[in-house]
């Protein structure tokens, strides 16, 4: 499987998850498909039979080996911290808490350590459920620099829990060209319901990477690169020309849009003069339980206590142990955009229990109405975050 096919699959998964999320969330939205898929991939490392096949297919990989290699590449290259080289501060971390009576096998321990950098810790869930919950929340808070202080809500972890798998992503990047804060001014922002609100808008006279696709425009805002040169991060904003055009733009995101993202976003390499530029500062967060979305996307076996096969995690179980299954998946994501750059974070925890047009010479980009955005690593095409701003 070539890298371009993996990229196509990862983008398709991101868009599928985003579209399903819109059925639950109607306001501002941000989600990290990369965080959710990494947590699922760790579980898939211990799946067998049809459960494994369904998980690998759901995550849009050809086989499990490529899946694990991809996430090792994410950890070791794409999201390797480059702050010491002048680039973004980034982090991709995973951890496991396992019931002390659950015989996690060595092969699975080795797999999650090698590919995901994850170590497992033993917990007595029947007597330490609340302590385990607080430990995961503390770990997530540390990994996200306090941006996600509580991932697991009260009562989600209990005596029936046998394992918690958590993933955390942190990204802090400075714009290649920062905006002057003294030029930021309040301007009207037009909401989908027709109301108008006043919001701080950043502006700039610099050239920008903009391309017009007829019904919408795309802006690429690159982040400052490190001297290593093996990473190139950017925020891409898809702005409908119509003030109420976001809903139609989101409807148009389908299987054919996957190829569009691969083929057209890399074209934004030449900055163009801008006649008028406005972009709101914004700070949004989203938190939700994921199983209903994954179920609707066809991932069902690992959630079914009667059919789930996660036996690859374990040494042979005594007859008194029923099969393992995924009892819940919780995800939170945040993004803050201002004149300096962006801070974006995400965390996912799983509980395992038993049972184109020609570019004009002069463009404008006035983001005074709802738009879609994504944060990606350009060399690999990896989408780390995707979301919408309907009210900054």
């Amino acid at each position: 499987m070539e890298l371009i096919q993996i990229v196509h699959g990862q983008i398709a998964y991101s868009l599928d998850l985003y579209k399903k999320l819109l059925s639950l969330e109607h306001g501002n939205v941000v989600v990290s498909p990369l965080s959710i898929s990494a947590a699922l991939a760790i579980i898939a490392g211990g799946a067998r039979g049809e459960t494994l096949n369904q998980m690998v297919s759901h995550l849009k990989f050809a086989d499990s080996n490529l899946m694990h290699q991809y996430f090792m590449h994410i950890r070791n290259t794409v999201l390797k911290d480059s702050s010491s080289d002048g680039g973004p501060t980034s982090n991709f971390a995973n951890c496991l808490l396992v019931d002390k009576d659950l015989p996690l096998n060595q092969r699975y321990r080795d797999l999650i350590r090698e590919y995901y950098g994850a170590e497992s810790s033993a917990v007595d869930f029947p007597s330490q459920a609340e302590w385990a919950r607080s430990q995961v929340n503390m770990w997530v808070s540390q990994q996200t620099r306090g941006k996600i202080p509580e991932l697991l809500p009260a009562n989600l972890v209990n005596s029936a829990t046998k394992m918690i798998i958590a993933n955390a992503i942190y990204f802090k990047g400075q714009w290649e060209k920062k905006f002057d804060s003294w030029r930021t001014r309040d301007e009207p922002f037009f909401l989908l319901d027709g109301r108008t609100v006043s919001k701080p808008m950043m502006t700039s006279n610099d050239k920008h990477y903009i391309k017009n696709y007829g019904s919408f425009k795309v802006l690429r805002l690159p982040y400052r690169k490190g001297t290593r040169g093996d990473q190139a991060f950017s925020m891409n904003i898809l702005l409908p020309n119509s003030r109420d055009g976001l809903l139609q733009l989101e409807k148009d995101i389908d299987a054919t849009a996957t190829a569009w993202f691969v083929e057209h976003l890399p074209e934004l390499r030449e900055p163009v003069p801008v006649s008028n530029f406005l972009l709101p500062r914004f700070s949004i967060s989203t938190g939700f339980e994921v199983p209903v979305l994954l179920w609707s996307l066809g991932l069902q076996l690992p959630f079914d206590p009667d059919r789930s096969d996660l036996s690859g995690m374990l040494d042979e179980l005594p007859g008194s142990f029923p099969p393992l299954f995924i009892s819940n998946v919780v995800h939170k994501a945040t993004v803050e955009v201002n004149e300096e750059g962006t801070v974006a974070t995400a965390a996912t925890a799983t509980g395992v229990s038993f049972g184109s047009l020609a570019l004009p010479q002069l463009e404008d980009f006035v983001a005074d109405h709802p738009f879609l955005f994504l944060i990606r690593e350009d060399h690999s095409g990896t989408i780390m975050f995707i979301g919408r701003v309907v009210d900054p």
Side-chain angles (χ1 to χ4, degrees):
M1 189 178 193
E2 296 180 356
L3 178 60
I4 189 64
Q5 293 175 290
I6 295 177
V7 171
H8 270 263
Q10 197 271 331
I11 293 175
Y13 185 73
S14 298
L15 299 180
D16 286 350
L17 197 63
Y18 173 73
K19 290 197 72 171
K20 286 294 182 182
L21 180 57
L22 295 181
S23 66
L24 299 179
E25 301 284 343
H26 304 294
N28 295 331
V29 166
V30 58
V31 61
S32 174
L34 184 63
S35 175
I36 293 173
S37 58
L40 291 175
I42 292 174
I43 295 177
R48 290 292 180 267
E50 286 305 307
T51 301
L52 173 61
N53 293 339
Q54 190 176 95
M55 296 189 78
V56 172
S57 176
H58 168 80
L59 294 172
K60 301 190 183 299
F61 288 94
D63 59 63
S64 59
N65 288 331
L66 283 171
M67 177 181 67
H68 298 314
Q69 290 169 11
Y70 172 75
F71 285 106
M72 183 166 65
H73 176 66
I74 294 295
R75 181 171 67 90
N76 293 337
T77 303
V78 175
L79 282 176
K80 183 178 181 181
D81 183 72
S82 60
S83 57
S84 61
D85 298 314
T89 301
S90 55
N91 183 37
F92 180 82
N94 304 281
C95 76
L96 281 82
L97 294 183
V98 183
D99 189 89
K100 65 180 183 60
D101 293 329
L102 205 63
L104 206 65
N105 69 42
Q106 192 59 49
R107 188 209 65 83
Y108 184 66
R109 292 179 190 272
D110 292 343
L111 183 147
I112 61 175
R113 180 185 300 114
E114 177 182 359
Y115 291 98
Y116 300 90
E119 299 288 346
S120 61
S121 301
V123 175
D124 182 15
F125 279 105
S127 64
Q128 296 180 304
E130 181 58 27
W131 178 86
R133 184 182 76 92
S134 67
Q135 288 298 110
V136 172
N137 285 340
M138 186 182 303
W139 180 84
V140 168
S141 181
Q142 291 172 346
Q143 298 298 325
T144 61
R145 276 61 165 182
K147 295 295 183 181
I148 302 179
E150 184 177 80
L151 174 64
L152 298 175
N155 302 318
L156 193 69
V157 181
N158 53 51
S159 59
T161 302
K162 294 301 176 184
M163 189 184 304
I164 299 174
I165 298 172
N167 166 270
I169 293 176
Y170 178 86
F171 174 82
K172 182 179 182 180
Q174 293 186 342
W175 302 126
E176 192 175 81
K177 292 183 178 180
K178 297 180 183 179
F179 296 93
D180 294 323
S181 57
W182 61 268
R183 300 188 63 187
T184 299
R185 62 183 187 268
D186 287 346
E187 293 282 350
F189 188 93
F190 300 89
L191 307 180
L192 289 174
D193 62 7
R195 292 183 298 120
T196 304
V197 293
S198 180
K199 296 293 180 179
M201 292 280 191
M202 303 181 294
T203 187
S204 166
N205 289 332
D206 293 327
K207 291 183 178 181
H208 285 282
Y209 302 90
I210 300 172
K211 195 169 181 67
N212 193 323
Y213 291 96
S215 62
F216 66 96
K217 297 177 183 179
V218 178
L219 165 71
R220 184 175 73 89
L221 287 174
Y223 297 100
R224 193 172 67 183
K225 298 179 183 177
T227 56
R228 243 183 17 236
D230 56 351
Q231 297 170 323
F233 295 96
S234 67
M235 172 172 280
N236 293 263
I237 295 176
L238 281 68
L239 178 70
N241 285 349
S242 172
R243 287 175 178 171
D244 60 355
L246 178 63
L247 300 182
Q248 184 60 51
L249 177 60
E250 291 171 334
K251 287 180 181 178
D252 292 339
I253 295 177
D254 54 19
T256 59
T258 299
W260 184 91
F261 274 79
V262 174
E263 295 167 3
H264 291 285
L265 288 184
E267 291 182 357
L268 299 169
R269 294 294 181 216
E270 291 297 327
V272 297
V274 179
S275 59
N276 191 14
F277 185 96
L278 290 175
L279 179 67
R281 294 196 307 235
F282 61 91
S283 176
I284 61 178
S285 64
T286 304
F288 58 97
E289 295 186 19
V290 188
V292 64
L293 299 182
L294 302 182
W295 185 276
S296 66
L297 288 171
L299 185 63
Q300 301 170 2
L301 288 178
F303 293 98
D304 188 330
D306 296 321
R307 298 189 296 160
S308 174
D309 184 356
L310 302 180
S311 59
M313 295 180 175
L314 310 172
D315 290 327
E316 187 173 351
L317 284 170
S320 58
F321 282 88
L324 293 170
F325 71 99
I326 302 176
S327 54
N328 209 338
V329 182
V330 179
H331 179 76
K332 286 189 177 181
T334 72
V335 63
E336 300 173 22
V337 170
N338 58 29
E339 290 85 354
E340 298 290 319
T342 302
V343 177
T345 66
T348 305
T350 61
V352 176
S353 302
F354 283 139
S356 93
L357 295 177
L359 186 69
Q361 294 185 342
L362 192 66
E363 268 292 359
D364 63 13
F365 196 89
V366 181
D368 63 355
H369 54 279
F371 55 84
L372 187 153
F373 71 89
L374 54 94
I375 299 175
R376 72 196 295 262
E377 199 283 311
D378 295 329
H379 290 332
S380 65
T382 300
I383 293 177
M384 301 186 298
F385 297 86
I386 184 170
R388 59 171 359 200
V389 175
V390 298
D391 185 353

